[in-house]
Amino acid sequence: IEGPLPAVHAARDAVDQYARWMRADGDDRPIGVLRSAAALDLILRPWDTSRPPVTAHLTLHAALPSLRPDAPAGAAPAELDGQLISAAQCRELLDSLDMLGLSAAPAGGSVHVAIDDPVTGETVAVATRAELAHAAGRGRRVRRGTGTRGAHPPGQPDGPGLRPPPPTPGYRPTAAQDRLITVRDRHCRMPGCRRRAGRCDIDHGQVYADGGPTDCWNLCCLCRRHHRIKTFARGWSFTLHPDGRLVVRTPSGISRTTRPPGWYHDPEPDPPWLDDLAPPDPLRT
């Protein structure tokens, strides 16, 4: 906590006192956990119904086998907003949102399913549950006696499947392109930067004014700072390849390559060494 010293001490002591009251009421969790729970309640105020609800956007990446109730203890972990969580924690989260079967979205929310290539890890498509059902050839209205609504009609062909969103002639990416790029990249693609995709710009690898298409292969996430370095700083080179590789070359000639995370995890984040070499932000005075 940062702020005036008296206010910081008052906030710390208040959280500690609430935690000790919880302990006195019989909660035997560690005191550090009780302090965290007390602070969270003071911030979110779940008892206060006079204020509009505050919602959050969570991006959850998980392998489907890890979501099954019979998944083994060593099942692949899931990833929640860039942090690794266990398969059991993943199932607990989905169960709490009534989403384990992907049958319904939470009130005011939505469910998107990302389909990754199991070999390359490339994100192929991102779809809502309705789009997924349509792609599979389900969810059509059928005549009475020929099947049930929501099931694949007997004798009917399969659905069209899922493909990446098509290119658009305009400068701004379409909503479908934006959805795929943010889910695919998950964070700023600059080596060492982990600013989440929701706070990044969707940038053209090949500049749009120079003929670069607004197509998924030519788009990636860059946070505002690194977007400005790419656009205005002299001596920097950013090359985005069709396979998703982004090659960044510094003015001193050092190159570093990043790839979309896909369904694999680096052992640790790249160090933010490029930031130390970056020239001052040309738009910052």
Side-chain angles (χ1 to χ4, degrees):
I1 302 177
E2 296 183 359
L5 187 60
V8 170
H9 277 270
R12 183 196 64 186
D13 291 345
V15 169
D16 183 70
Q17 185 62 57
Y18 281 120
R20 295 188 183 280
W21 285 344
M22 295 167 68
R23 169 65 61 80
D25 288 339
D27 196 325
D28 59 357
R29 290 178 292 175
I31 191 65
V33 175
L34 296 180
R35 291 191 186 105
S36 298
L40 187 62
D41 281 345
L42 289 172
I43 294 172
L44 298 181
R45 304 177 67 84
W47 61 85
D48 187 355
T49 59
S50 63
R51 302 181 181 187
V54 177
T55 60
H57 175 80
L58 298 179
T59 301
L60 180 68
H61 296 267
L64 286 178
S66 298
L67 303 180
R68 296 170 182 162
D70 58 349
E79 181 181 331
L80 175 61
D81 275 3
Q83 301 295 324
L84 292 180
I85 62 175
S86 68
Q89 289 172 316
C90 176
R91 290 193 298 270
E92 181 180 352
L93 174 63
L94 292 177
D95 185 59
S96 67
L97 297 176
D98 193 27
M99 291 166 55
L100 187 59
L102 296 177
S103 58
S110 60
V111 176
H112 294 98
V113 180
I115 295 88
D116 293 348
D117 187 301
V119 177
T120 65
E122 177 187 1
T123 301
V124 179
V126 179
T128 64
R129 187 173 182 274
E131 290 169 340
L132 194 63
H134 172 73
R138 300 179 59 184
R140 306 172 184 170
R141 292 181 178 273
V142 296
R143 295 180 180 178
R144 185 183 301 273
T146 61
T148 58
R149 183 178 180 180
H152 188 276
Q156 295 294 323
D158 291 336
L162 288 172
R163 295 175 178 81
T168 179
Y171 171 75
R172 293 187 178 278
T174 64
Q177 289 176 328
D178 186 285
R179 189 173 63 186
L180 176 66
I181 299 305
T182 54
V183 170
R184 182 198 69 189
D185 288 356
R186 307 187 200 175
H187 53 71
C188 175
R189 292 287 306 284
M190 185 76 162
C193 184
R194 290 297 183 269
R195 188 176 296 274
R196 59 184 182 180
R199 296 186 176 182
C200 290
D201 299 331
I202 304 297
D203 179 58
H204 289 73
Q206 298 178 16
V207 180
Y208 179 78
D210 295 338
T214 305
D215 201 348
C216 289
W217 68 265
N218 192 43
L219 301 171
C220 72
C221 289
L222 287 179
C223 69
R224 185 58 55 86
R225 179 170 187 262
H226 293 131
H227 191 178
R228 287 172 172 172
I229 289 176
K230 172 182 179 291
T231 304
F232 299 106
R234 294 181 180 178
W236 287 77
S237 170
F238 286 66
T239 304
L240 184 61
H241 294 270
D243 62 1
R245 288 178 298 127
L246 176 65
V247 180
V248 179
R249 186 177 180 87
T250 70
S252 61
I254 300 175
S255 294
R256 196 65 179 269
T257 301
T258 65
R259 298 175 181 271
W263 185 240
Y264 60 87
H265 309 284
D266 297 326
E268 60 182 2
D270 292 326
W273 57 273
L274 282 175
D275 285 349
D276 298 334
L277 300 175
D281 191 332
L283 298 186
R284 184 176 298 172
T285 58

